[in-house]
Amino acid sequence: MCCLEDVRHHFKDKQSILFGGFGGIGTPPGLINLILESGIKDLTLIGNDTGFPDIGIGKLVTQRRAKKVIVSHIGSNPNAGLLMNNGELEVEFSPQGTLVERIRAGGMGLGGILTDIGIEADIVRDGKQTVKLGKKNYLVEPALTADIAIVYAEMADPYGNLIFDKSARNTNPIVAAAGQITIVEAMQIVPLGTLDPEDIIVPGAFVDYIIPSKGVDWKWVWEPEIETE
């Protein structure tokens, strides 16, 4: 267990970063802000999507900190599309299920997966190896790992065992296993023995650092603004 400042030195230019989350839900807000404050750039971001312009991983995209993203879609963040069309952001699209399986394979130490998803689509098939098993052809999709994985959990204990909150669980469990270093931002850090072993989704063996979270720092556009004096 530590604080944000204790993990700042792990973030560097040109790193690959795996992130949990879907449209901002489940993406660690404090770690995203730390990356922004650190000033690092030329990152390769790997995760489900590019969030929204000012939500989740989208904040890094909007501020041009990424040189490449490996994602299933970018449609909710117009800045990602603009940067891609301007040649400022390389985008590797991977079908969502394939992307998740590639990350899972990376976390399990596998070299890749075989799938027929997209084998008839040029945008998915181009440049990839194919193999034939039985009477069927498959694409070889390489596994994905990264220098750092950033994860958002609802609860953690001092050993790094993690529990997630509803849909914020999304890709966080597989991301946690696929980073060379895994940093978890947790809403609650509870004493050892507090978590029911049956509820633990990620075992502590995959976690290197746990930092306390101040919670989500953004709102959906349809949520009312909080009036301040």
Side-chain angles (χ1 to χ4, degrees), residues 6-193:
D6 293 328
V7 299
R8 183 188 291 269
H9 68 282
H10 285 298
F11 294 98
K12 299 179 174 63
D13 290 348
K14 301 180 181 179
Q15 279 184 321
S16 55
I17 298 178
L18 270 162
F19 60 93
F22 191 126
I25 301 295
T27 303
L31 287 170
I32 295 297
N33 290 336
L34 178 70
I35 294 170
L36 284 171
E37 293 165 7
S38 69
I40 62 171
K41 59 185 183 304
D42 297 331
L43 302 172
T44 296
L45 304 175
I46 307 168
N48 185 67
D49 56 85
T50 51
F52 290 80
D54 299 311
I55 292 175
I57 205 73
K59 296 166 73 174
L60 298 180
V61 174
T62 295
Q63 296 199 27
R64 292 177 164 78
R65 302 301 179 86
K67 68 174 183 178
K68 180 178 181 179
V69 294
I70 303 176
V71 292
S72 67
H73 75 88
I74 62 172
S76 55
N77 188 341
N79 293 332
L82 181 63
L83 292 169
M84 178 182 71
N85 291 332
N86 289 343
E88 298 178 67
L89 178 67
E90 181 182 353
V91 180
E92 178 182 334
F93 288 111
S94 193
Q96 193 170 76
T98 301
L99 177 71
V100 169
E101 278 298 291
R102 292 174 67 189
I103 298 171
R104 185 195 62 81
M108 297 299 105
L110 304 176
I113 65 167
L114 302 181
T115 179
D116 63 350
I117 302 299
I119 198 166
E120 297 178 352
D122 291 343
I123 193 173
V124 177
R125 185 188 61 241
D126 281 356
K128 293 176 181 172
Q129 181 184 353
T130 60
V131 297
K132 189 170 186 177
L133 289 179
K135 296 181 180 180
K136 198 168 182 179
N137 291 317
Y138 295 90
L139 291 173
V140 179
E141 295 277 6
L144 291 169
T145 58
D147 298 315
I148 295 181
I150 57 173
V151 170
Y152 191 45
E154 177 65 13
M155 286 195 284
D157 70 16
Y159 278 4
N161 298 308
L162 306 179
I163 289 176
F164 300 91
D165 183 25
K166 306 179 183 69
S167 61
R169 174 173 167 180
N170 52 58
T171 58
N172 275 300
I174 58 163
V175 164
Q180 296 298 315
I181 297 172
T182 294
I183 304 173
V184 174
E185 179 177 340
M187 279 302 298
Q188 301 178 61
I189 301 175
V190 299
L192 198 62

